[in-house]
Amino acid sequence: MSTKYEYGIDFDKIDAIDIHTHVEIDGCGHRSLDDELMAASEKYFKSGEERTPSIDAIADHYRSRNMAAVVFTVDAASASGHAANSVEEIAEGAARHNDVLIPFGSVDPWQGKAAVRRVHRLVDEYGVKGFKFHPSMQGFEPNDRQFYPLYEAITEAGVPALFHTGQTGIGAGLPGGHGIKLRYSDPMLLDDVAADFPDLTVIMAHPSVPWVDSQISIATHKANVFIDLSGWSPKYFPPQLVKAANSMLRNKVLFGSDFPVIQVDRWMKDFENLDIKPEVAPLIFKQNALRVLGIKH
């Protein structure tokens, strides 16, 4: 039986919550991506750092920066033919490091009723605090009603669902993008989900290039939709997103890096050069995430 995750984070003391970090290897050495995709993503992101740090190393990394981090992987077994690294192991690792880590689960949406059962199990037995989806990697249209039982289960659990949106660096530069289709990550598909599940908190991960204007419209229109700023260095943020983050979306945008493909220190350094109002920065770095995670503070 697992040790169920419980928050051990002192939310008053930490400086920030990184809402978007990946654990890409498990204790058996199994990686989240096949070798070709892993190599292509290293080339695309040019991080130059360790591409698959262990969950213990990730915990140390954030602890030394006085930050908390949401950790997850993506179960895209049906679409990719590559089994995910262990989601349960991530939850157990986060439980060991519950002073800095927050586990999100992942289920393969194509597994139907088994995926729904797994949502309940990951919440009830492992204490996961949200779920990560990557429609392009998992090869599904999020607004297809066959996947609605999944969202019903997540809504019932009272935790958020975080969806990759926009272009992905995974598969970038490979012939046919390794078969990965970008249209599945059009945020407009999530507008349907947010409308049909008003009690489900939806996080659109990343500036949704090339659909940023759609993303801004959805987050403005739907009270239950948020945006995380991971996956792109802030120096490449579309200007309209920066403007919205500073104004009507100040309570809707969340700090996220996409570690380890983008290093936290680099993200923070580049963010300093954005023209973000001093009163908005604390919202982005911590307060909005507390709301999204349902943490009474």
Side-chain angles (χ1 to χ4, degrees):
M1 185 62 195
S2 68
T3 306
K4 185 174 174 180
Y5 176 86
E6 309 241 347
Y7 284 119
I9 299 164
D10 186 334
F11 289 109
D12 285 322
K13 292 219 171 114
I14 57 163
D15 295 327
I17 299 170
D18 187 336
I19 203 88
H20 197 117
T21 77
H22 291 264
V23 181
E24 302 205 313
I25 197 163
D26 61 26
C28 302
H30 181 72
R31 304 202 297 178
S32 60
L33 300 173
D34 66 47
D35 293 346
E36 191 178 10
L37 282 179
M38 193 66 81
S41 81
E42 283 175 11
K43 190 173 168 190
Y44 176 85
F45 285 105
K46 306 184 185 75
S47 153
E49 299 291 333
E50 167 60 53
R51 183 66 180 79
T52 52
S54 69
I55 196 153
D56 297 331
I58 293 169
D60 290 344
H61 192 79
Y62 282 90
R63 199 176 279 119
S64 68
R65 285 157 179 77
N66 198 33
M67 293 180 183
V70 171
V71 287
F72 48 68
T73 188
V74 177
D75 186 342
S78 294
S80 69
H82 181 85
N85 53 314
S86 172
V87 174
E88 289 80 2
E89 193 182 287
I90 290 171
E92 289 168 348
R96 277 200 317 276
H97 297 287
N98 71 343
D99 60 318
V100 283
L101 299 183
I102 302 166
F104 273 23
S106 179
V107 297
D108 181 346
W110 291 104
Q111 286 182 347
K113 288 180 178 165
V116 173
R117 285 196 299 274
R118 192 156 187 237
V119 164
H120 289 300
R121 185 164 169 261
L122 286 168
V123 172
D124 297 343
E125 293 181 24
Y126 287 88
V128 304
K129 299 299 182 185
F131 285 86
K132 164 69 192 277
F133 294 94
H134 194 311
S136 290
M137 290 286 295
Q138 293 173 314
F140 80 110
E141 291 173 330
N143 64 345
D144 186 323
R145 287 182 173 269
Q146 71 175 300
F147 305 114
Y148 275 26
L150 271 180
Y151 310 143
E152 281 162 19
I154 295 168
T155 305
E156 204 178 291
V159 298
L162 187 152
F163 291 83
H164 171 96
T165 64
Q167 180 191 331
T168 174
I170 306 300
L174 294 175
H178 208 62
I180 293 163
K181 294 172 181 170
L182 299 182
R183 71 181 174 87
Y184 292 138
S185 294
D186 183 338
M188 267 304 169
L189 302 178
L190 297 177
D191 185 64
D192 293 357
V193 175
D196 293 340
F197 292 91
D199 296 326
L200 174 64
T201 298
V202 173
I203 306 165
M204 296 185 283
H206 320 308
S208 296
V209 176
W211 301 291
V212 174
D213 294 323
S214 298
Q215 180 183 42
I216 292 168
S217 297
I218 297 162
T220 304
H221 188 251
K222 302 287 187 294
N224 51 323
V225 177
F226 296 78
I227 296 171
D228 90 33
L229 298 172
S230 69
W232 295 80
S233 158
K235 71 180 176 189
Y236 299 122
F237 284 176
Q240 68 269 42
L241 182 59
V242 178
K243 191 177 172 188
N246 245 340
S247 52
M248 74 262 197
L249 291 185
R250 62 171 56 196
N251 295 310
K252 291 294 203 96
V253 291
L254 311 161
F255 159 54
S257 64
D258 215 6
F259 181 85
V261 295
I262 291 181
Q263 293 293 307
V264 186
D265 297 346
R266 179 201 172 188
W267 194 100
M268 299 291 283
K269 187 163 158 285
D270 290 349
F271 186 82
E272 281 169 19
N273 296 323
L274 290 185
D275 192 16
I276 295 287
K277 294 172 184 165
E279 65 272 24
V280 172
L283 301 175
I284 293 174
F285 281 113
K286 186 162 74 170
Q287 301 308 324
N288 295 342
L290 292 175
R291 241 174 62 240
V292 161
L293 293 166
I295 292 159
K296 302 289 178 275
H297 181 62

